[in-house]
Amino acid sequence: MNVGRLAALAGASSLLAAVVLPVPFAAAAGGAGDRLFVDNSVACSDNGPATEALPLCTVSAAARTVQPGQTVVVGGWSYSEAVVINRSGTADRPITFTTGTDARTDGSGQAVQGTGNSPAFTVKGATDIVIHGFDVHANASPVVVTDSARVTIDHVRIGRAFGADPEVRVTGTSDHVTVSRSSISSAHTAAIQVDAGVRGTVVSTNYITGSDNGGIVVNGAPGTLVTANTLLDNCGPGIALDGASTGSAVHDDIVTGRASCSSSEPAIRVAPEAAQSSSLDYNLVHPADGHAPYQWNGQSYPGPTELRAATGQGAHDLIGDPRLTGVAGPDQGSPAVDSGEADAPGSLPTDFYGNHPADDPGAANTGTGSGIRDRGAIERQPVSRQQVRTTGEYGPYPRPVTAEATLVQNWPASLTYSFDFGDGTAPTVTTQPTAAHTYARAGTFTTKLTVTTPDGLSYPAVAQNALTVSEPAAPKASFTVKPCTAPYVCGPLSYEFDTTGSTSSWAVDKGRIDFGDGTGTDFTVLDTFRHAFPRPGDYTVTLTFTNHGGEQATTSQRTTVITKPAGFDSYSTQRALDTRQAAYGTPRLGPGQKLTIDLKNQYWPISWDSTAVVVNVTAVNADGPGFLSLGPNDRPRPAESSSLNYVPGTAVPNLVTVPVGNDFKIAVWNSPGGAPVDLVIDIEGEYTPRSTGLFGALPPQRILDSRYGTGIPAGKIDSPCHGFGAGRPTTLKVRGANGIPDDATSVVLNVTVTEPDRDGNLTVGASSSFNTSNLNFAAGQTTSNQVIAKIADDGTVPFCGSGGALNVIADLFGYYGPSGQHLFVATDPTRMLDTRVSPGKLGPDSTLAIGGLPAGATGAVLNVTATEPTAAGFLAVHPGGPALPNISNVNFAAGQTVATHATVPVGGDGTISLYNRNGSTHAIVDSYGYFLHK
């Protein structure tokens, strides 16, 4: 007889599309208080009340507290734990663990994966336990029952265990254990093993395939009943009664062998000691070629005739091909059909799928009783592979639909179809496989089908897809916007637009979301859409869709796109480019040329969510004057800003904060009339939204001046880097001093070198690199550069260089670390001030207020350039309002053009002050971003 409830099982060769209802499971009776809920897919607590509203998180927690008569209902995701059940129920109030589903047929049972080498389920020293509906796996035996009584393992699916243990093991002094209606595939050893000392075990109606060393192995366990199982493609004996397994029975089983096995074991083996008072009958055996079907009492027999003549066993056994169709059971003409033993010891009233016996009119009734019981675990049925599909589109009520049943009818019979459309109306009962229905209210409905034969056998199915019916209403377009944070797919200017808040009584036919930057996305389903904007700014985003009813809806929002606010991660300086070195494969930069740096291809690649990088750029070997501009590679060259001005005969460095483009590349442009020049670029760190390195603004102050003994003993320093030459790096204690907290990771310093003995460079901050520098200078030159200096483990900032003895000055502007309060927003380089345009040169000892920062800005990252100075001097940048602190940012000689990076807090009046010390000079200020309070 074929089965009506078909779906994929482990080891099956095909997947059947029907979604079926599981057989109702008789759990312990009682109200809500008799159920404990476990669900790790929702808010849960192992110390909670175990209700549906607040379930337990683990099955083990339920096993520790469950009481007789209670049922543990397990939902949620899979569970990686070793569940030990050692609490007992009673004969009339068992303890039940169930998923409420059938893991073997629809794959929806919750999985329990044993941890380490522990089983998924161990029943130990307990009585009256039921385990039902789980999908279990483990490296050891997935299910072990030891020293327990009246335990039922039912409707479970067990895949291949990775160890050498059986899939299900009954051991110790266990008594009256039942393993039933379960699917076990590809065991390394036995699928089910019953050990010596166990009594009264029932192994019935299981579907077992592909075991490597025996399907059902019983060793010294008297009174074991092996009944109505299907064992296919097994190596070793399909069924073995070994040792003192007296008083046992092997009835109504189907056993086939595997030709590729190296062993020559029979399909069924009953050892001499086990043969005493044991019985064997009504089995269908199909051994592999060359293998004996039977071994009884130590003697092999080529068939049931010989076995029957010699022993009286196997009186109704058959040998031959059972003609099975995968997990669909016996096919038409199978010798298993209607030839089984109705009252076989250990038999169950229903088959593997919960179906009752059915009379196949094409087969002779040769079995006992009514003669219609099939051999093996699966009964051939008049109906199989039943499915139901509801056709009808999403739309408002009244909504007409049509349900259609499809099935395989294994023999002619007049069928009745009952269609329950799930809306509370009476089912439509008809003799036709289709039914029309009109939904009169809104909701989401699932159609259920019941097919009934004239003799009262019924076969259910559930539609795979629910149908949603909506309220009649005009459509409304709506969307929400948020920065995109998905790892590895979102750029610094990526946003997500969720359109699912839109409403429509009809399905959407077509729609478009226009991002306001000349691009858009067409769609047919309201969903969440990602988009990377080309640059920061304000964009009008418009959503429009048309539904199947011909109705249109549209809405627009003004979206302000900014780079994600981020913290700073400082790391050991890494050289990204040196055009002087052939290894970098990049020639020097000619007039007007662009050079691209792929930050993902560096030895220390930037993070997937980096918003800006901080680089130290040095122009060397220039053939003449010029300037460089840095910016994101995927945006146009910054029209007005410059990052560094160079002249021939000297190395000119500057720190630059560069926004990262959506392509994770930055670019360097030489000025159109700029002379050819070599570039050296070192990456100092990056901004990323995940970083805990927030900016902490401090009042600008001088914390080191070797000329006067500020911060270190007075006198020039002579500190070669990395142990070359005499001396060691000079260190400045910064953590715990001058307002810098103990958790600071880096400090923002404006560093000035003056009076160096010879040409050279200076490196500031903890670094493992041998070839990087922050400042380059000529003998006797005064030069400055801002440095974001990484703090060493001992809380100091090291200073070292190659310029012999020199004086060093360091002005503090802030720090980065968990105690900081400000996040950085990178922007395209933007010109904030150019005194050549207005208001003219800054005079001596004069201050100019700079505004124009975004509302709420707490600080700014600037590039400050002095040009055409009439005398040697310096510019100082500080918060607007307070008096000038003892600092300097840009140091220059008469007639020199010098640019310096400046990180500066914003004053209480929302401005930044720019101070000129001597002579008169033009000043240019470009912004690269600003800080916001977190």
Side-chain angles (χ1 to χ4, degrees):
M1 300 169 191
N2 212 338
V3 64
R5 299 172 183 182
L6 301 178
L9 288 179
S13 60
S14 63
L15 298 177
L16 304 179
V19 175
V20 301
L21 289 174
V23 179
F25 179 66
D34 290 326
R35 292 186 295 170
L36 305 181
F37 291 91
V38 179
D39 192 335
N40 59 5
S41 68
V42 297
C44 60
S45 170
D46 276 349
N47 298 315
T51 60
E52 279 190 280
L54 184 58
L56 302 174
C57 299
T58 63
V59 184
S60 295
R64 289 192 294 268
T65 60
V66 66
Q67 300 294 322
Q70 288 186 323
T71 296
V72 177
V73 181
V74 181
W77 311 120
S78 62
Y79 296 80
S80 180
E81 54 180 303
V83 180
V84 178
I85 302 170
N86 52 23
R87 302 174 71 89
S88 296
T90 62
D92 60 337
R93 292 177 63 79
I95 289 174
T96 300
F97 293 80
T98 182
T99 64
T101 61
D102 187 349
R104 310 151 315 120
T105 57
D106 60 17
S108 62
Q110 275 58 51
V112 177
Q113 170 71 53
T115 56
N117 290 319
S118 299
F121 283 99
T122 300
V123 182
K124 185 175 183 178
T127 63
D128 300 291
I129 302 295
V130 177
I131 298 173
H132 169 269
F134 289 90
D135 190 345
V136 293
H137 309 274
N139 291 331
S141 294
V143 178
V144 174
V145 180
T146 180
D147 301 327
S148 299
R150 298 187 300 278
V151 175
T152 298
I153 310 298
D154 186 62
H155 282 85
V156 300
R157 178 170 64 177
I158 305 177
R160 188 180 186 93
F162 296 101
D165 299 311
E167 303 295 298
V168 177
R169 185 175 187 180
V170 184
T171 189
T173 59
S174 294
D175 185 24
H176 285 85
V177 174
T178 298
V179 181
S180 58
R181 284 185 286 236
S182 293
S183 168
I184 306 173
S185 62
S186 303
H188 274 299
T189 54
I192 301 172
Q193 179 175 305
V194 184
D195 290 344
V198 176
R199 295 180 177 275
T201 305
V202 176
V203 181
S204 181
T205 322
N206 299 287
Y207 189 91
I208 299 170
T209 61
S211 295
D212 288 344
N213 193 18
I216 300 171
V217 178
V218 183
N219 190 0
T224 302
L225 305 181
V226 181
T227 303
N229 301 284
T230 297
L231 301 100
L232 308 178
D233 300 322
N234 299 289
C235 284
I239 300 172
L241 299 181
D242 293 329
S245 301
T246 58
S248 298
V250 179
H251 286 234
D252 245 21
D253 300 291
I254 295 177
V255 185
T256 72
R258 192 191 317 166
S260 60
C261 299
S262 58
S263 68
S264 58
E265 293 284 353
I268 299 175
R269 182 181 71 205
V270 181
E273 192 175 359
Q276 300 178 30
S277 65
S278 293
S279 65
L280 185 153
D281 206 0
Y282 284 94
N283 302 291
L284 174 56
V285 183
H286 188 55
D289 292 343
H291 293 224
Y294 303 102
Q295 188 182 90
W296 179 274
N297 198 21
Q299 179 66 44
S300 295
Y301 296 94
T305 301
E306 292 80 4
L307 174 67
R308 186 163 50 247
T311 68
Q313 299 293 330
H316 303 89
D317 271 27
L318 299 174
I319 190 166
D321 185 353
R323 299 181 62 175
L324 305 179
T325 307
V327 291
D331 205 350
Q332 184 177 9
S334 168
V337 176
D338 292 356
S339 66
E341 184 179 6
D343 54 355
S347 63
L348 303 179
T350 57
D351 75 345
F352 181 77
Y353 292 107
N355 290 320
H356 291 276
D359 186 7
D360 183 349
N365 297 338
T366 60
T368 63
S370 63
I372 65 172
R373 186 72 179 253
D374 292 358
R375 306 184 190 210
I378 301 173
E379 293 276 335
R380 180 169 170 80
Q381 298 286 306
V383 170
S384 63
R385 299 179 178 89
Q386 69 275 8
Q387 302 177 63
V388 61
R389 178 176 177 230
T390 304
T391 57
E393 58 187 344
Y394 177 93
Y397 64 82
R399 178 99 327 261
V401 298
T402 300
E404 180 181 8
T406 59
L407 50 83
V408 173
Q409 191 167 352
N410 292 315
W411 57 80
S414 298
L415 303 177
T416 301
Y417 301 86
S418 175
F419 296 92
D420 184 343
F421 289 93
D423 58 353
T425 61
T428 300
V429 181
T430 175
T431 58
Q432 301 301 313
T434 60
H437 182 71
T438 298
Y439 287 105
R441 64 181 178 88
T444 299
F445 308 107
T446 300
T447 302
K448 298 178 182 179
L449 166 71
T450 302
V451 182
T452 305
T453 65
D455 53 2
L457 296 175
S458 61
Y459 305 91
V462 179
Q464 287 182 315
N465 298 316
L467 181 72
T468 298
V469 179
S470 59
E471 295 279 356
K476 180 181 178 181
S478 175
F479 64 89
T480 59
V481 187
K482 67 177 182 179
C484 178
T485 58
Y488 305 103
V489 298
C490 295
L493 295 177
S494 294
Y495 280 71
E496 289 184 344
F497 297 83
D498 184 355
T499 67
T500 58
S502 301
T503 57
S504 174
S505 296
W506 297 88
V508 172
D509 273 356
K510 61 180 180 178
R512 180 174 176 84
I513 182 166
D514 189 321
F515 298 109
D517 59 1
T519 66
T521 297
D522 296 321
F523 61 85
T524 57
V525 176
L526 293 166
D527 204 344
T528 297
F529 303 96
R530 293 191 183 116
H531 180 65
F533 286 91
R535 61 192 308 165
D538 289 331
Y539 299 87
T540 299
V541 180
T542 301
L543 170 68
T544 303
F545 66 83
T546 303
N547 65 27
H548 193 60
E551 302 166 320
Q552 188 179 78
T554 186
T555 187
S556 295
Q557 286 188 42
R558 191 73 169 169
T559 301
T560 298
V561 174
I562 64 170
T563 305
K564 299 178 184 71
F568 181 72
D569 286 329
S570 176
Y571 41 76
S572 295
T573 303
Q574 171 64 36
R575 180 139 295 174
L577 176 73
D578 188 342
T579 61
R580 302 168 301 177
Q581 303 293 326
Y584 290 92
T586 304
R588 66 201 324 241
L589 198 59
Q593 289 184 335
K594 174 185 177 182
L595 185 151
T596 297
I597 302 172
D598 187 348
L599 297 169
K600 285 189 174 181
N601 288 337
Q602 300 306 312
Y603 180 73
W604 292 106
I606 63 169
S607 302
W608 60 266
D609 57 351
S610 181
T611 62
V613 291
V614 177
V615 297
N616 200 72
V617 183
T618 304
V620 294
N621 302 330
D623 292 351
F627 66 88
L628 304 174
S629 298
L630 277 74
N633 176 69
D634 61 353
R635 302 175 203 169
R637 172 183 180 145
E640 296 181 326
S641 76
S642 63
S643 304
L644 180 150
N645 296 76
Y646 60 84
V647 293
T650 185
V652 181
N654 194 22
L655 195 71
V656 185
T657 297
V658 189
V660 173
N662 288 312
D663 61 357
F664 289 93
K665 297 176 182 178
I666 62 173
V668 184
W669 288 268
N670 197 358
S671 51
V677 65
D678 278 309
L679 296 181
V680 179
I681 297 182
D682 299 326
I683 300 179
E684 306 284 341
E686 63 176 328
Y687 287 94
T688 167
R690 291 176 295 127
S691 173
T692 59
L694 277 62
F695 179 60
L698 294 173
Q701 57 188 300
R702 184 148 293 172
I703 62 172
L704 183 150
D705 192 335
S706 63
R707 299 172 300 177
Y708 308 115
T710 303
I712 59 173
K716 286 187 175 181
I717 68 171
D718 188 357
S719 304
C721 291
H722 306 289
F724 297 134
R728 297 174 58 82
T730 296
T731 59
L732 173 68
K733 177 70 173 178
V734 292
R735 284 196 185 127
N738 301 303
I740 302 170
D742 290 337
D743 62 357
T745 55
S746 55
V747 289
V748 181
L749 303 174
N750 203 78
V751 179
T752 301
V753 167
T754 187
E755 303 170 1
D757 288 350
R758 59 177 183 266
D759 296 355
N761 58 65
L762 183 72
T763 298
V764 183
S767 175
S768 60
S769 179
F770 285 80
N771 61 351
T772 60
S773 63
N774 298 99
L775 290 90
N776 297 74
F777 45 80
Q781 182 186 9
T782 297
T783 187
S784 59
N785 195 12
Q786 189 160 90
V787 177
I788 302 178
K790 184 177 181 180
I791 302 174
D793 292 341
D794 63 358
T796 66
V797 170
F799 293 76
C800 63
S802 63
L806 48 80
N807 278 313
V808 179
I809 304 163
D811 297 330
L812 174 69
F813 285 81
Y815 65 89
Y816 289 94
S819 295
Q821 298 292 316
H822 308 277
L823 293 166
F824 178 64
V825 178
T827 64
D828 284 355
T830 304
R831 182 138 293 175
M832 299 181 67
L833 173 71
D834 189 343
T835 62
R836 298 172 301 180
V837 177
S838 177
K841 278 189 173 183
L842 290 172
D845 196 31
S846 63
T847 300
L848 180 66
I850 302 173
L853 289 168
T858 58
V861 173
L862 309 172
N863 197 73
V864 181
T865 303
T867 187
E868 304 175 19
T870 60
F874 66 85
L875 294 176
V877 186
H878 61 93
L884 172 69
N886 181 29
I887 59 167
S888 66
N889 294 85
V890 187
N891 291 267
F892 47 81
Q896 187 182 21
T897 298
V898 180
T900 298
H901 187 275
T903 301
V904 59
V906 173
D909 61 355
T911 68
I912 293 169
S913 292
L914 179 64
Y915 170 80
N916 178 47
R917 179 69 178 91
N918 297 323
S920 59
T921 183
H922 278 301
I924 303 165
V925 178
D926 296 326
S927 171
Y928 285 80
Y930 57 92
F931 292 94
L932 293 174
H933 200 281
K934 70 174 182 179

